[in-house]
Amino acid sequence: MATQKSSFWLTPKGLAALGLIAVASYFLLIEHRQHVWQFLPFLILLACPFMHLFMHGGHGGHGQHEDESDKAAYQRGLEDGRKENEHHH
């Protein structure tokens, strides 16, 4: 039985947090539009940590949590590539 850990953002708590962030962002932009626009260039810098949070979850992080089946599949791919390369030469 394979247990795969799902992302926090897909849990009910994560979805509630995303909704809260969206509502807070909406009211912040509506009520303080003039103050927010001057900090808009800094949102690019703020996007970097969020990209790490959201984008590293899809490919297994930084490679520290690979399980044996991933390593075996990687080794099989390497061996298949070598065999195919030898076959062409």
Side-chain angles (χ1 to χ4, degrees):
M1 180 177 188
T3 58
Q4 188 171 9
K5 186 178 178 182
S6 64
S7 172
F8 166 75
W9 299 107
L10 298 177
T11 62
K13 290 179 183 178
L15 293 174
L18 287 175
L20 183 65
I21 290 169
V23 169
S25 298
Y26 172 76
F27 283 112
L28 182 68
L29 287 175
I30 294 300
E31 296 295 326
H32 299 282
R33 188 177 308 159
Q34 294 299 322
H35 307 290
V36 171
W37 291 123
Q38 65 184 348
F39 295 108
L40 192 60
F42 296 108
L43 288 178
I44 293 172
L45 296 175
L46 185 62
C48 293
F50 283 116
M51 287 173 55
H52 279 281
L53 284 175
F54 289 111
M55 297 177 79
H56 280 292
H59 60 84
H62 294 280
Q64 297 174 353
H65 304 289
E66 291 183 3
D67 60 359
E68 293 299 321
S69 65
D70 289 340
K71 291 178 183 176
Y74 178 73
Q75 288 298 325
R76 282 194 306 272
L78 285 176
E79 291 171 7
D80 290 344
R82 284 187 196 127
K83 289 177 185 174
E84 187 173 312
N85 194 16
E86 290 173 359
H87 181 70
H88 288 287
H89 289 269

